[in-house]
């Protein structure tokens, strides 16, 4: 804004501009910004490092089944120098471990086809091609390692190429790595379809999305979550048509999401993520002294408290507490707001009025926040920041399939991502 523009403003407009400039910065507590973006406290106010008073110390547990055990006996008496027999009774007074990684080199299995001449009819007979000879020379574990490092450790092709060379002495071109990843990703199509089938039968579905670069263009990484499945989906659009494509006409009883319009209207009922609203309200309280924002913060605290006790209360108690919350909210929304942030929050709450307490009607089945979807999206956000996106759409869709199978398996088992990758690729 230039000086001439400022001179044309009225006194009230100038006051409002100054007040906006003096508003506090948004943090992870008052917005969707990640905690890592928060400014650190001043050093003189920061808590000292190290263990705090009263903290119980912890140490690494000893390995229950070591590969090798070596016992060390004293050879002679430290007092008189007399040699000590090796058959004297002994007790263990301390245990020390030395842990290292073995040298890892690729195990190359070379198959040579031989041809011989039949002594009876002089026909040249060649051995049949070994299984998989026409496919890739790389085995399933190498496919799993490459997929794990690329997908779950967010290595770019260049860094993945260097890691395989430095750690394992394996030299692959970036084009060869691309082929390895594409073949591995194809193994996850069946698991993706199974997760999609479960999602399309779920009664409660949550969804969220985040931006990502695909083929140099702005695109989106979506996640859909239900009790039995987590489905990741890469798409060039953020529109509601993506939801229609994934859900294939299925309308669950409840849809949980933020207030973005493309996330609305896909279920019989809607539950708005209260965490998003709580962050906006917290910023409004921090930036001003409007009583309406404080009352909304108090109301949200009561709603979160009810959500924590939802499965412990009787149906009649839940109905009574819901009526009380609804009456309190009606009174709060009718109160005047003195500045723009509070007015915006009130308008947002009024629009979402019928979507705030849906969870009460489904005890233990509908979450009050969409934090689970946000956690599912976090690795995709890290991947975007580290590698700046995907070179091709097939890579983005293939990685979404991998994340779908791994995340869905994690709902039922404690298998690590690599264990799930290896099991899927070798199946």
């Amino acid at each position: 804004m230039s000086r001439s523009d400022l001179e044309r403003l009225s006194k009230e407009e100038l006051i409002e501009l100054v007040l906006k400039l003096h508003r506090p910065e948004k943090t992870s507590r008052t917005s969707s910004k990640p905690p890592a973006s928060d400014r650190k406290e001043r050093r003189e106010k920061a808590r000292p490092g190290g263990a705090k008073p009263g903290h119980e110390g912890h140490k690494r547990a000893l390995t229950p089944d070591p590969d090798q055990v070596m016992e060390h006996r004293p050879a002679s008496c430290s007092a008189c120098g007399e040699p000590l027999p090796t058959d004297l009774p002994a007790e263990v007074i301390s245990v020390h471990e030395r842990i290292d990684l073995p040298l890892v080199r690729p195990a190359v299995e070379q198959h040579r086809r031989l041809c011989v001449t039949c002594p009876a009819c002089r026909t040249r007979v060649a051995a049949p091609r070994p299984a998989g000879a026409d496919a890739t020379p790389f085995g399933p574990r190498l496919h799993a390692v490459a997929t794990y490092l690329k997908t779950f450790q967010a290595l770019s092709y260049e860094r993945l190429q260097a890691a395989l060379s430095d750690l394992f002495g394996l030299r692959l071109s970036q084009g060869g790595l691309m082929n390895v990843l594409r073949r591995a990703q194809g193994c996850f199509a069946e698991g993706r379809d199974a997760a999609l089938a479960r999602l399309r039968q779920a009664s409660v579905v949550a969804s969220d999305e985040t931006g990502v670069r695909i083929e140099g263009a702005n695109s989106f990484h979506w996640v859909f979550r239900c009790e039995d499945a987590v489905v990741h989906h890469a798409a060039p659009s953020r529109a509601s048509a993506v939801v229609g494509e994934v859900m294939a006409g299925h309308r669950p009883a409840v849809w949980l999401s933020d207030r973005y319009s493309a996330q609305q209207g896909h279920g019989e009922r809607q539950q708005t993520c209260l965490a998003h609203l709580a962050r906006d309200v917290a910023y409004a309280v921090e930036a001003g002294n409007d009583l309406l924002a404080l009352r909304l913060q108090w109301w949200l605290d009561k709603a979160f408290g009810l959500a924590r006790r939802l499965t412990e209360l009787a149906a009649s108690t839940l109905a009574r507490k819901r009526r009380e919350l609804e009456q309190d909210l009606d009174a709060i929304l009718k109160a005047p707001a003195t500045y723009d942030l509070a007015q915006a929050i009130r308008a947002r709450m009024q629009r979402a009025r019928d979507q705030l307490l849906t969870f009460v009607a489904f005890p233990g089945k509908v979450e009050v926040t969409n934090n689970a979807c946000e956690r599912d999206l976090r690795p995709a956000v890290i991947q975007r920041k580290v590698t700046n996106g995907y070179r091709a759409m097939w890579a983005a869709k293939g990685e979404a399939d991998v994340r779908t199978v791994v995340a869905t398996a994690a709902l039922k088992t404690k298998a690590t991502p690599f264990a799930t990758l290896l099991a899927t690729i070798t199946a």
Side-chain angles (χ1 to χ4, degrees), residues 294-410:
L294 286 170
R295 293 178 67 186
L296 285 175
Q297 190 174 54
W298 163 80
W299 186 88
L300 285 168
D301 287 342
K302 289 187 64 177
F304 284 125
L306 177 60
R308 287 190 293 269
R309 302 176 54 208
L310 207 58
T311 57
E312 305 171 2
L313 302 176
S316 58
T317 305
L318 285 178
R320 176 176 57 81
K321 289 185 174 295
R322 178 171 185 164
R323 285 194 302 271
E324 292 174 354
L325 282 172
E326 290 175 342
Q327 292 168 1
D328 291 341
L329 183 58
D330 288 337
I332 294 171
L333 295 179
K334 292 177 181 177
T338 58
Y339 73 118
D340 59 337
L341 282 179
Q343 292 169 356
I345 291 294
R346 181 175 63 182
R348 199 169 305 155
M349 296 284 279
Q350 286 174 335
R351 289 194 297 270
R353 177 67 181 79
D354 297 331
Q355 303 176 1
L356 302 179
L357 299 174
T358 304
F359 69 93
V360 180
F362 301 86
K365 296 182 179 180
V366 178
E367 295 292 331
V368 73
T369 73
N370 204 20
N371 291 344
C373 283
E374 292 188 344
R375 289 194 296 270
D376 289 329
L377 284 177
R378 179 54 53 188
V381 174
I382 296 173
Q383 197 274 353
R384 175 187 68 202
K385 292 183 177 180
V386 174
T387 65
N388 200 31
Y390 303 90
R391 298 180 182 181
M393 180 58 78
W394 68 260
K397 287 184 175 295
E399 184 170 305
D401 294 348
V402 172
R403 293 190 184 279
T404 294
V405 173
V406 171
T408 300

Side-chain angles (χ1 to χ4, degrees), residues 84-149:
L84 299 175
T86 58
D87 58 351
L88 286 176
E91 62 175 323
V92 177
I93 59 173
S94 66
V95 178
H96 308 271
E97 289 189 341
R98 177 180 174 84
I99 303 174
D100 202 354
L101 293 174
L103 179 66
V104 180
R105 286 287 181 266
V108 180
E109 186 181 82
Q110 192 176 78
H111 296 262
R112 297 180 178 179
R113 293 179 64 215
L114 302 180
C115 181
V116 298
T117 300
C118 175
C121 64
R122 310 306 297 174
T123 300
R124 286 176 57 82
V125 182
R129 289 182 178 273
D134 294 330
T136 173
F138 305 116
R141 183 170 288 273
L142 177 55
H143 281 74
V145 168
T147 303
Y148 173 77
L149 293 176

Side-chain angles (χ1 to χ4, degrees), residues 52-380:
K52 305 301 181 286
H55 173 73
E56 183 180 352
H58 298 279
K59 60 182 180 180
R60 187 184 59 80
L62 294 174
T63 304
D65 53 347
D67 298 297
Q68 185 178 8
V69 176
M70 301 178 67
E71 295 183 341
H72 302 272
R73 282 176 168 267
S76 60
C77 178
S78 59
C80 65
E82 184 71 18
L84 299 175
T86 58
D87 58 351
L88 286 176
E91 62 175 323
V92 177
I93 59 173
S94 66
V95 178
H96 308 271
E97 289 189 341
R98 177 180 174 84
I99 303 174
D100 202 354
L101 293 174
L103 179 66
V104 180
R105 286 287 181 266
V108 180
E109 186 181 82
Q110 192 176 78
H111 296 262
R112 297 180 178 179
R113 293 179 64 215
L114 302 180
C115 181
V116 298
T117 300
C118 175
C121 64
R122 310 306 297 174
T123 300
R124 286 176 57 82
V125 182
R129 289 182 178 273
D134 294 330
T136 173
F138 305 116
R141 183 170 288 273
L142 177 55
H143 281 74
V145 168
T147 303
Y148 173 77
L149 293 176
K150 183 72 174 68
T151 304
F152 293 93
Q153 298 303 326
L155 296 188
S156 64
Y157 280 105
E158 183 177 355
R159 292 174 63 198
L160 176 58
Q161 186 182 35
L164 293 177
S165 176
D166 295 344
L167 296 177
F168 310 125
L170 184 63
R171 291 174 174 80
L172 281 78
S173 67
Q174 291 190 25
L177 281 174
M178 189 179 298
N179 291 333
V180 166
L181 293 169
R182 194 163 193 170
R183 280 190 297 269
Q185 290 172 352
C187 300
F188 293 83
E190 183 177 350
R192 174 207 62 205
D193 292 342
L196 268 174
R198 290 194 285 271
L199 181 73
R200 291 167 179 170
Q201 296 175 352
S203 60
V204 179
V205 174
S207 68
D208 202 356
E209 87 291 323
T210 187
V212 67
R213 298 281 291 178
I214 302 177
E215 297 179 349
N218 291 333
S219 302
F220 294 89
H221 185 112
W222 289 73
V223 66
F224 302 85
R225 186 182 182 93
C226 66
E227 183 181 7
D228 300 318
V230 179
V231 175
H232 291 259
H233 182 74
S237 170
R238 196 187 181 193
S240 60
V242 177
V243 180
E245 175 188 350
V246 171
M247 299 305 295
H250 173 61
R251 285 179 62 84
V254 180
W255 194 276
L256 168 62
S257 69
D258 56 29
R259 288 290 301 158
Y260 181 59
S261 59
Q263 302 276 13
Q264 302 289 309
H266 303 296
E268 299 299 328
R269 301 179 67 176
Q270 186 86 18
Q271 171 63 53
T272 288
C273 174
L274 297 190
H276 283 75
L277 295 174
R279 290 193 290 259
D280 293 338
V281 170
Y283 182 69
V285 171
E286 188 175 307
N289 56 357
D290 196 302
L291 182 60
L292 183 138
L294 286 170
R295 293 178 67 186
L296 285 175
Q297 190 174 54
W298 163 80
W299 186 88
L300 285 168
D301 287 342
K302 289 187 64 177
F304 284 125
L306 177 60
R308 287 190 293 269
R309 302 176 54 208
L310 207 58
T311 57
E312 305 171 2
L313 302 176
S316 58
T317 305
L318 285 178
R320 176 176 57 81
K321 289 185 174 295
R322 178 171 185 164
R323 285 194 302 271
E324 292 174 354
L325 282 172
E326 290 175 342
Q327 292 168 1
D328 291 341
L329 183 58
D330 288 337
I332 294 171
L333 295 179
K334 292 177 181 177
T338 58
Y339 73 118
D340 59 337
L341 282 179
Q343 292 169 356
I345 291 294
R346 181 175 63 182
R348 199 169 305 155
M349 296 284 279
Q350 286 174 335
R351 289 194 297 270
R353 177 67 181 79
D354 297 331
Q355 303 176 1
L356 302 179
L357 299 174
T358 304
F359 69 93
V360 180
F362 301 86
K365 296 182 179 180
V366 178
E367 295 292 331
V368 73
T369 73
N370 204 20
N371 291 344
C373 283
E374 292 188 344
R375 289 194 296 270
D376 289 329
L377 284 177
R378 179 54 53 188

